[in-house]
Amino acid sequence: MDIPSATAPRAEPGEPHLQWPFFDASHRALALRVSEWASAQTIDHADTDAACREWVQRLGHAGLLQYCVPKMWGGALEQIDSRSVCILREHLAMQDGLADFSLAMQGIGSGPLTLAGSDALRHEWLPKVANGQAIAAFALTEPDAGSDAAAISSSATRVHNGWEISGTKTWISNGGIADFYCVFARSDAASRGAKGVSAFFVPANTPGLTVVERLNVMAPHPLATLRFDRCTVPETFMLGEEGDGFKLAMRTLDIFRMSVAAAATGFARRALRETLSQANSRAMFGSSLGAQPLAQAMIGDMATELDSAALLTYRAAWFRDTQEGRVTTVAAMAKLAATELAQRIIDRAVQLHGGKGVRTGETVERLYREIRALRIYEGASEVQRLLVGRETLRAQF
Ligand SMILES: Cc1cc2nc3c(=O)[nH]c(=O)nc-3n(C[C@H](O)[C@H](O)[C@H](O)COP(=O)(O)OP(=O)(O)OC[C@H]3O[C@@H](n4cnc5c(N)ncnc54)[C@H](O)[C@@H]3O)c2cc1C
């Protein structure tokens, strides 16, 4: 059983990083709102699926999922505001990884539908995503196409009443509990790489769609391998233009990639706060842990790295919200730096907790498990490094 601590710290109105120029008053108000709300929630995680469904319902009821879709389809703001999504993810992650996951997947899972679905589909489904009545999933990865996502081989074949989709998708978050999947498949059988891929909206009850296997991971959340066996969807369930599916997947990830960095920042911020409490309360050598110079140095590194992660995260979100131009590089920098730095911060937090740090059920032990997958999904650190490196060479600055 994994119940988040009721003593989780809340954002204070004057929380220093919220005074950074990336934010306006509405962002600070949202931080306070989500922080107060999240610290009042406790959900039993014994059944991961049930816990996830419960989080989606509660987040929907609280109006927080509205930040995952535009106002026109039941959302809070005219457009998805990356700073708001990042603030939500950071503060939910501080409280509970599954709460953060539940909100994030509503956004990523419905992203292709928001960006390119027909008006009829958007009107039917996006308000349900925003109020927690429908659970969304994003199905790109395949057994032989992970980091090399353009190597997908699932097929979409035109038939008289629409498209027939076949193939296997794996590592699909919300797999098994989602109400719909945004699925990427090759609509041009002769194509290779990013070209010839299209995106489709596939309701979970489509005949031929089955869960092959549920995947258990170190920080549990619903995850599955899915089989699409000649699943037929109408022509109008294609998202965007034929052949534009890969671009749509990348556009979706561009919107949400820096929010992975925000979640990492939230895990790391919680780890630092737990460490400060430990440093002040743990008696040692006639004084406290916090009085030891080496512990002070470690905490100094943690605080510096946390601000570095947060600065890059909110720089990327601010850039996407307010500036013209491609966000890919700044989002990749944020994801790379924040997830790697958060891993180090949390590792130091475990170290400074001593034996307690590795004890099952301790907050820092949970954070140590929660952070790990973030360096792998939505583009592993190596992929982000390559991306930033290539763009930097191209820019020649
Ligand atoms: C918890 C979790 C949730 C996920 N949720 C979803 C989801 O909802 N939808 C979805 O479509 N997918 C999802 N994924 C899949 C995820 O995006 C892939 O796991 C990821 O892209 C890596 O692919 P892979 O696991 O096949 O690893 P591989 O592609 O086999 O890569 C293995 C490792 O190789 C290294 N590597 C990669 N590229 C290079 C390179 N060019 N040079 C050197 N080293 C390199 C990296 O360290 C990488 O971790 C999820 C994965 C996890 C773990």
Side-chain angles (χ1 to χ4, degrees):
M1 198 181 311
D2 207 359
I3 299 177
S5 150
T7 56
R10 296 188 330 194
E12 298 303 328
E15 210 177 323
H17 76 291
L18 292 171
Q19 304 308 322
W20 289 347
F22 301 121
F23 306 112
D24 60 33
S26 72
H27 296 119
R28 285 185 277 277
L30 180 63
L32 190 60
R33 177 177 156 208
V34 61
S35 182
E36 283 183 350
W37 179 83
S39 60
Q41 310 296 314
T42 46
I43 289 183
D44 186 344
H45 286 194
D47 178 339
T48 309
D49 288 2
C52 192
R53 285 196 178 96
E54 180 68 23
W55 273 120
V56 171
Q57 271 192 10
R58 288 195 197 181
L59 285 160
H61 196 250
L64 298 175
L65 296 180
Q66 288 175 3
Y67 289 88
C68 296
V69 304
K71 194 171 200 161
M72 199 170 169
W73 299 293
L77 304 169
E78 293 299 329
Q79 300 295 332
I80 295 174
D81 178 70
S82 292
R83 286 165 296 175
S84 298
V85 173
C86 286
I87 282 170
L88 288 168
R89 289 201 65 179
E90 180 183 342
H91 289 86
L92 290 173
M94 280 179 71
Q95 177 72 23
D96 185 314
L98 203 53
D100 162 60
F101 164 84
S102 300
L103 180 126
M105 281 317 301
Q106 290 298 91
I108 298 162
S110 66
L113 177 62
T114 298
L115 290 173
S118 70
D119 278 350
L121 270 184
R122 290 193 278 206
H123 276 295
E124 181 179 352
W125 286 95
L126 290 177
K128 292 183 192 166
V129 169
N131 66 22
Q133 277 175 13
I135 296 182
F138 179 93
L140 176 65
T141 304
E142 297 182 359
D144 292 323
S147 301
D148 185 7
I152 61 167
S153 62
S154 288
S155 64
T157 312
R158 201 183 275 281
V159 289
H160 74 282
N161 53 346
W163 290 90
E164 199 177 77
I165 299 165
S166 290
T168 301
K169 295 287 177 185
T170 191
W171 296 110
I172 306 307
S173 296
N174 279 341
I177 70 161
D179 293 289
F180 67 84
Y181 298 87
C182 289
V183 181
F184 301 86
R186 204 162 282 286
S187 51
D188 176 358
S191 67
R192 290 282 172 276
K195 289 193 180 135
V197 171
S198 298
F200 299 90
F201 176 87
V202 182
N205 60 3
T206 304
L209 170 49
T210 49
V211 174
V212 178
E213 185 188 11
R214 296 299 297 266
L215 307 172
N216 297 319
V217 287
M218 60 206 282
H221 69 257
L223 202 60
T225 301
L226 307 169
R227 176 82 200 143
F228 296 80
D229 189 9
R230 302 178 68 184
C231 292
T232 306
V233 293
E235 179 78 40
T236 52
F237 281 21
M238 178 179 272
L239 304 173
E241 298 296 316
E242 186 176 340
D244 277 352
F246 196 77
K247 272 192 221 151
L248 185 57
M250 295 306 119
R251 279 173 66 206
T252 304
L253 294 179
D254 267 356
I255 297 176
F256 291 100
R257 187 169 281 135
M258 80 277 289
S259 80
V260 181
T265 301
F267 290 138
R269 194 176 301 283
R270 179 71 187 267
L272 178 58
R273 289 189 184 181
E274 295 294 326
T275 304
L276 296 180
S277 157
Q278 171 75 5
N280 288 327
S281 61
R282 178 66 175 155
M284 190 179 281
F285 302 115
S287 180
S288 67
L289 171 63
Q292 311 305 316
L294 266 177
Q296 289 169 4
M298 283 168 78
I299 289 169
D301 287 344
M302 290 164 80
T304 305
E305 290 176 356
L306 177 60
D307 270 8
S308 310
L311 280 162
L312 282 173
T313 299
Y314 287 109
R315 190 263 303 246
W318 165 85
F319 186 94
R320 184 185 165 271
D321 291 341
T322 65
Q323 305 296 298
E324 299 290 324
R326 288 182 61 207
V327 71
T328 310
T329 310
V330 287
M333 282 182 181
K335 202 237 172 209
L336 170 62
T339 56
E340 295 285 336
L341 291 174
Q343 180 87 61
R344 277 175 25 196
I345 292 166
I346 294 167
D347 185 62
R348 289 202 197 88
V350 169
Q351 189 70 15
L352 286 172
H353 276 74
K356 213 168 110 180
V358 292
R359 188 169 179 196
T360 305
E362 285 294 327
T363 299
V364 290
E365 180 270 343
R366 173 174 61 75
L367 294 167
Y368 193 79
R369 289 183 288 105
E370 300 270 22
I371 188 61
R372 191 61 186 86
L374 277 65
R375 291 168 56 205
I376 297 173
Y377 64 60
E378 287 188 46
S381 292
E382 291 72 14
V383 174
Q384 310 300 336
R385 264 189 195 109
L386 287 173
L387 207 156
V388 174
R390 282 185 197 135
E391 288 300 319
T392 305
L393 280 164
R394 196 171 297 154
Q396 304 255 329
F397 65 91

mmCIF file of all heavy atoms in Angstrom, residues 50 65 75 85 90 153 179 191 239 368 374:
data_model
loop_
_atom_site.group_PDB
_atom_site.id
_atom_site.type_symbol
_atom_site.label_atom_id
_atom_site.label_comp_id
_atom_site.label_asym_id
_atom_site.label_seq_id
_atom_site.Cartn_x
_atom_site.Cartn_y
_atom_site.Cartn_z
ATOM 1 N N ALA A 50 -7.490 1.178 -10.017
ATOM 2 C CA ALA A 50 -8.561 1.873 -9.286
ATOM 3 C C ALA A 50 -8.065 3.233 -8.802
ATOM 4 O O ALA A 50 -8.793 4.244 -8.872
ATOM 5 C CB ALA A 50 -9.036 1.026 -8.104
ATOM 6 N N LEU A 65 -8.131 19.127 -14.614
ATOM 7 C CA LEU A 65 -7.889 18.540 -15.944
ATOM 8 C C LEU A 65 -8.265 19.518 -17.058
ATOM 9 O O LEU A 65 -7.898 19.314 -18.212
ATOM 10 C CB LEU A 65 -8.688 17.238 -16.113
ATOM 11 C CG LEU A 65 -8.325 16.085 -15.181
ATOM 12 C CD1 LEU A 65 -9.214 14.877 -15.469
ATOM 13 C CD2 LEU A 65 -6.855 15.699 -15.334
ATOM 14 N N GLY A 75 -12.118 23.246 -21.792
ATOM 15 C CA GLY A 75 -10.908 23.562 -21.043
ATOM 16 C C GLY A 75 -10.992 24.856 -20.256
ATOM 17 O O GLY A 75 -11.990 25.584 -20.333
ATOM 18 N N VAL A 85 0.307 23.861 -17.115
ATOM 19 C CA VAL A 85 0.470 22.401 -17.071
ATOM 20 C C VAL A 85 1.690 22.042 -16.227
ATOM 21 O O VAL A 85 1.655 21.127 -15.398
ATOM 22 C CB VAL A 85 0.578 21.815 -18.501
ATOM 23 C CG1 VAL A 85 0.911 20.326 -18.452
ATOM 24 C CG2 VAL A 85 -0.707 22.042 -19.283
ATOM 25 N N GLU A 90 4.261 19.879 -11.477
ATOM 26 C CA GLU A 90 5.266 20.001 -10.411
ATOM 27 C C GLU A 90 4.618 19.780 -9.037
ATOM 28 O O GLU A 90 5.127 19.025 -8.212
ATOM 29 C CB GLU A 90 5.946 21.379 -10.441
ATOM 30 C CG GLU A 90 6.989 21.489 -9.336
ATOM 31 C CD GLU A 90 7.677 22.838 -9.224
ATOM 32 O OE1 GLU A 90 7.645 23.636 -10.177
ATOM 33 O OE2 GLU A 90 8.258 23.089 -8.144
ATOM 34 N N SER A 153 5.788 -0.180 -37.338
ATOM 35 C CA SER A 153 5.330 -1.012 -38.462
ATOM 36 C C SER A 153 3.842 -1.333 -38.401
ATOM 37 O O SER A 153 3.326 -2.015 -39.288
ATOM 38 C CB SER A 153 6.134 -2.314 -38.506
ATOM 39 O OG SER A 153 5.908 -3.037 -37.310
ATOM 40 N N ASP A 179 -10.232 4.945 -22.208
ATOM 41 C CA ASP A 179 -11.474 4.888 -22.989
ATOM 42 C C ASP A 179 -11.186 5.060 -24.473
ATOM 43 O O ASP A 179 -12.001 4.672 -25.301
ATOM 44 C CB ASP A 179 -12.439 5.977 -22.507
ATOM 45 C CG ASP A 179 -12.917 5.689 -21.104
ATOM 46 O OD1 ASP A 179 -13.702 4.745 -20.949
ATOM 47 O OD2 ASP A 179 -12.460 6.361 -20.154
ATOM 48 N N SER A 191 6.088 2.985 -47.430
ATOM 49 C CA SER A 191 6.901 4.061 -46.851
ATOM 50 C C SER A 191 7.867 3.537 -45.791
ATOM 51 O O SER A 191 7.692 2.445 -45.244
ATOM 52 C CB SER A 191 5.988 5.115 -46.224
ATOM 53 O OG SER A 191 5.329 4.566 -45.103
ATOM 54 N N LEU A 239 -6.800 11.390 -37.542
ATOM 55 C CA LEU A 239 -6.456 12.672 -36.917
ATOM 56 C C LEU A 239 -5.491 13.406 -37.829
ATOM 57 O O LEU A 239 -4.365 12.934 -38.065
ATOM 58 C CB LEU A 239 -5.837 12.424 -35.534
ATOM 59 C CG LEU A 239 -6.703 11.593 -34.568
ATOM 60 C CD1 LEU A 239 -5.924 11.257 -33.292
ATOM 61 C CD2 LEU A 239 -7.989 12.324 -34.218
ATOM 62 N N TYR A 368 12.675 7.930 -5.256
ATOM 63 C CA TYR A 368 13.783 7.271 -5.952
ATOM 64 C C TYR A 368 13.252 6.346 -7.047
ATOM 65 O O TYR A 368 13.825 6.235 -8.131
ATOM 66 C CB TYR A 368 14.602 6.473 -4.920
ATOM 67 C CG TYR A 368 15.927 5.981 -5.400
ATOM 68 C CD1 TYR A 368 17.033 6.816 -5.468
ATOM 69 C CD2 TYR A 368 16.096 4.638 -5.776
ATOM 70 C CE1 TYR A 368 18.267 6.351 -5.904
ATOM 71 C CE2 TYR A 368 17.324 4.162 -6.208
ATOM 72 C CZ TYR A 368 18.403 5.025 -6.277
ATOM 73 O OH TYR A 368 19.616 4.563 -6.705
ATOM 74 N N LEU A 374 11.405 8.661 -15.883
ATOM 75 C CA LEU A 374 11.328 9.950 -16.601
ATOM 76 C C LEU A 374 12.553 10.209 -17.476
ATOM 77 O O LEU A 374 12.504 11.012 -18.403
ATOM 78 C CB LEU A 374 11.134 11.121 -15.612
ATOM 79 C CG LEU A 374 9.694 11.372 -15.161
ATOM 80 C CD1 LEU A 374 9.134 10.215 -14.352
ATOM 81 C CD2 LEU A 374 9.591 12.662 -14.362
#
